[in-house]
Amino acid sequence: MIVGGTGMLKHAVLYFARHSYTVSVIARGQAGFDKMILEKNEHGFINPVRVDYSNFRLLREKITDALERHGKIDLCIAWIHHHSRNAAYVIADVLNGQNFPFRFFHVLGSETANPSESNIDSPKEFEIYENILYRKIILGFVIEEDNSRWLTNGEISNGVIDAVNFDKETYIVGTVNPWDKIPRL
């Protein structure tokens, strides 16, 4: 299952589908699904789960339906915007209920690495779920010569794929050091 899979994680969805996975993709808009389905080749299967993940009741129903239709989920990659941060716990709760161990890769923005702030969404908040193997992916930035820039969607997807393949508890895509080099708007 990939949450937010029609945007910056689209290439990760296509990667897993091409490697013969059944990938349930949670996203809000139909247009993103349509484009993704056209790019997928004959291997694997993409199950579009169209839902606004800030609607927790409907999100719970849609995930439950995906489990019933396609079986247990052994891997979840979740990119969730701050305005609906609690959706990660709804997803974790439903998937934990399958009574099957699974890896939960929580994709977080670079602010998680800000040394002057306390980290949000620590693994301790997910310890109540006995079946979750929690992993944190922090999206950083790229330093090129004397300038810095944000990661591209391709770099983000490739970093997420690497994070899943390396299976570390914390994986940083790009860099977060030195912090004072973070791109400014």
Side-chain angles (χ1 to χ4, degrees), residues 5-128:
T6 59
M8 68 183 197
L9 295 177
K10 178 179 82 170
H11 297 292
V13 169
L14 295 171
Y15 169 88
F16 289 110
R18 288 181 180 134
H19 284 82
S20 300
Y21 286 86
T22 296
V23 185
S24 290
V25 180
I26 295 177
R28 292 177 292 216
Q30 188 62 42
F33 283 127
D34 294 342
K35 287 172 83 173
M36 183 184 307
I37 298 298
L38 289 175
E39 291 182 45
K40 186 189 85 59
N41 65 10
E42 69 278 359
H43 302 289
F45 177 74
I46 295 175
N47 171 39
V49 180
R50 191 166 169 256
V51 62
D52 181 347
Y53 55 69
S54 65
N55 181 337
F56 299 152
R57 181 193 55 76
L58 190 56
L59 176 62
R60 186 176 295 277
E61 288 175 15
K62 294 280 191 168
I63 295 171
T64 300
D65 182 60
L67 287 168
E68 289 172 0
R69 288 175 178 235
H70 303 289
K72 293 182 177 179
I73 293 172
D74 61 357
L75 171 66
C76 178
I77 300 168
W79 165 248
I80 298 170
H81 295 277
H82 286 304
H83 71 276
S84 195
R85 197 175 108 201
N86 288 335
Y89 305 110
V90 172
I91 295 163
D93 188 56
V94 174
L95 296 181
N96 188 65
Q98 65 184 340
N99 294 319
F100 176 81
F102 68 98
R103 295 183 297 159
F104 186 95
F105 287 86
H106 201 180
V107 182
L108 300 164
S110 57
E111 72 279 355
T112 307
N114 185 340
S116 66
E117 302 287 326
S118 62
N119 284 342
I120 59 170
D121 298 316
S122 70
K124 288 185 181 290
E125 294 172 325
F126 287 86
E127 286 178 359
I128 63 169

